């Protein structure tokens, strides 16, 4: 859509009906954000007012169940949230992708050089380069474009701002150069490839799937090339609950080794059982061979494998809970997941410094404020990240005040049905 016309439509609210399926009651606020986005794009990439403007959105996500199960080809349960990353993009007819995110430096990716670059690992440009490289491998003629992005998904806040950005970048390329041919699963797989191979983070695919699909999804990764994904119902307000994501505000910078150790140690146990992933192993054999596994892999690896088996089963049970409307059992399983992370997965503490245990402190404080109502669990990678808390609505204000008084950042997102989408073209 031509820039001047688009700005006029956003300003006078003429796009509210188009945006409502994505943003719901936040549609008017979204118009304001998108109008500002287009103006910032124009200030960054001076071009003609008649340029064909494309607007995109990709949501953040929360992990509802399945802690460190996806990388072992297990099951996971996640939901998109109403906090998103948005982009204004315009094809530039060149061989260069230029992406500018507010408050970040411009990233320029030369499409003639899509090889991995060690100096880019762990950075946003590596994700864009990796996505373009993967699409080229799949036979798509990715070209150059200019894009400006802004986000209300908090960085390091447990709602996967990185997956939202990855999925957004793939969604832009999909619509600009692939004719929208990629479905949600393929979009997520390209984004995960960029994160695993180019960014250098050995994560599973659940985050990207949730951002791409939207809504509440259950995923089974037994077949990694074609995971089974299904949507499930969940109306937290109807059950009288709100979702809180509580961020420790602690740094993840020195914890890459801690994160990587979990899939590595789980993989060691699987290898001792002559399999590549724990989902391929037999649980009874695991129990029967505990002495040998402990000697070969160490106790922590065995405990982490035990967590996988229990958590994987728990996800299946919680999917049934949502289908039946048994929210009381869903809460019980969520509490059990939190205990399992502490006792068996052991991702509540920084193993290099026993004095630094922010997740453990926040979980204790959350349980104190809940007074045996609701449920608490560590979500995502753990160590210095976030906890997920299901809070009765009548306790919500007191809970948020209490957590913030304890030094945490407390977010109360709503669930979002729409995944990564082209908003306007």
């Amino acid at each position: 859509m031509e820039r001047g016309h688009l700005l006029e439509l956003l300003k006078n609210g003429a796009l509210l009906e188009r945006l409502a399926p994505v943003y719901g009651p936040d549609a008017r606020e979204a118009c304001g954000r998108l109008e500002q986005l287009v103006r910032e794009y124009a200030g960054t990439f001076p071009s003609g007012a008649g340029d064909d403007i494309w607007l995109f959105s990709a949501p953040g996500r929360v992990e509802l169940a399945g802690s460190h199960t996806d990388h072992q080809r297990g099951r996971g349960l996640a939901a998109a949230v109403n906090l998103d990353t948005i982009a204004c993009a315009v094809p530039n007819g060149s061989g260069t992708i230029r992406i500018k995110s507010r408050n970040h430096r411009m990233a320029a990716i030369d499409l003639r050089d899509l090889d991995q670059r060690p100096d880019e690992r762990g950075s946003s440009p590596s994700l864009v380069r990796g996505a373009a490289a993967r699409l080229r491998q799949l036979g798509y003629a990715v070209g150059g474009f200019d894009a400006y992005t802004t986000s209300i998904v908090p960085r390091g806040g447990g709602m996967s701002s990185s997956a939202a950005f990855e999925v957004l970048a793939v969604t832009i390329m999909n619509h600009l150069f692939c004719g929208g041919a990629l479905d949600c699963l393929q979009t997520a797989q390209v984004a995960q490839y960029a994160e695993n191979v180019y960014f250098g983070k050995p994560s599973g695919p659940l985050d990207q799937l949730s951002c791409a699909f939207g809504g509440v999804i259950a995923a089974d990764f037994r077949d990694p090339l074609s995971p089974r994904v299904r949507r499930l119902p969940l109306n937290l307000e109807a059950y009288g609950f709100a979702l809180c994501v509580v961020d420790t505000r602690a740094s993840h910078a020195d914890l890459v080794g801690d994160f990587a150790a979990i899939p590595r140690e789980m993989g060691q146990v699987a290898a001792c059982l002559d399999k590549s992933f724990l989902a391929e192993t037999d649980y009874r054999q695991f129990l029967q061979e505990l002495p040998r596994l402990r000697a070969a892999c160490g106790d922590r690896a065995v405990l982490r494998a035990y967590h996988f088996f229990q958590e994987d089963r728990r996800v299946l049970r919680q999917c049934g809970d949502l289908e039946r409307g048994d929210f009381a059992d869903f809460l019980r399983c969520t509490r059990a997941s939190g205990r399992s992370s502490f006792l068996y997965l052991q991702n509540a503490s920084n193993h290099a410094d026993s004095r630094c245990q922010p997740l453990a402190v926040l979980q204790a404080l959350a349980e104190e404020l809940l007074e045996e109502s609701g449920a608490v669990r560590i979500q995502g990678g753990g160590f210095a990240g976030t906890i997920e808390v299901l809070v009765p609505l009548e306790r919500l204000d007191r809970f948020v005040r209490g957590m913030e008084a304890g030094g945490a950042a407390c977010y109360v997102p709503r669930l979002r049905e729409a995944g990564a989408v082209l908003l306007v073209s």
Side-chain angles (χ1 to χ4, degrees), residues 166-189:
E166 296 159 17
V167 169
L168 183 68
V170 177
T171 302
I172 293 171
M173 297 180 211
N174 182 29
H175 286 279
L176 293 186
F177 306 110
C178 309
L182 274 67
D183 61 19
C184 294
L185 174 58
Q186 293 166 319
T187 296
Q189 288 174 327

Side-chain angles (χ1 to χ4, degrees), residues 284-299:
R284 290 170 298 179
Q285 183 186 4
F286 167 77
L287 294 177
Q288 291 168 358
E289 298 200 33
L290 274 179
R292 181 177 72 85
L293 295 172
R294 291 177 64 191
C297 306
D299 285 348

Side-chain angles (χ1 to χ4, degrees), residues 253-373:
D254 298 323
L255 297 174
V256 174
D258 284 319
F259 291 126
I262 293 178
R264 183 179 68 249
E265 291 178 7
M266 287 183 176
Q268 288 170 352
V269 175
C272 280
L273 295 171
D274 297 319
K275 302 294 183 182
S276 299
F277 301 93
L278 285 175
E280 301 168 340
T281 64
D282 181 79
Y283 181 54
R284 290 170 298 179
Q285 183 186 4
F286 167 77
L287 294 177
Q288 291 168 358
E289 298 200 33
L290 274 179
R292 181 177 72 85
L293 295 172
R294 291 177 64 191
C297 306
D299 285 348
R300 190 174 72 173
V302 167
L303 287 169
R304 285 174 163 172
Y306 179 76
H307 163 85
F308 167 83
F309 290 118
Q310 297 300 316
E311 187 80 351
D312 192 50
R313 292 178 176 181
R314 209 161 17 241
V315 173
L316 197 60
R317 176 172 164 178
Q318 288 181 274
C319 291
D321 289 340
L322 294 183
E323 290 174 327
R324 294 189 305 272
D326 189 350
F327 196 68
D329 192 64
F330 187 88
L331 289 174
R332 283 191 288 270
C333 289
T334 300
R335 296 187 201 107
S337 175
R339 288 193 298 272
S340 185
S341 288
F342 260 90
L343 292 174
Y344 311 126
L345 185 60
Q346 298 181 28
N347 68 335
S349 303
N350 179 344
H351 298 296
D353 183 0
S354 62
R355 297 171 301 173
C356 182
Q357 302 188 41
L359 278 178
V361 171
L362 289 189
Q363 183 155 341
L365 177 57
E367 290 174 352
E368 177 69 19
L369 291 168
L370 287 176
E371 296 179 336
E372 299 185 2
S373 65

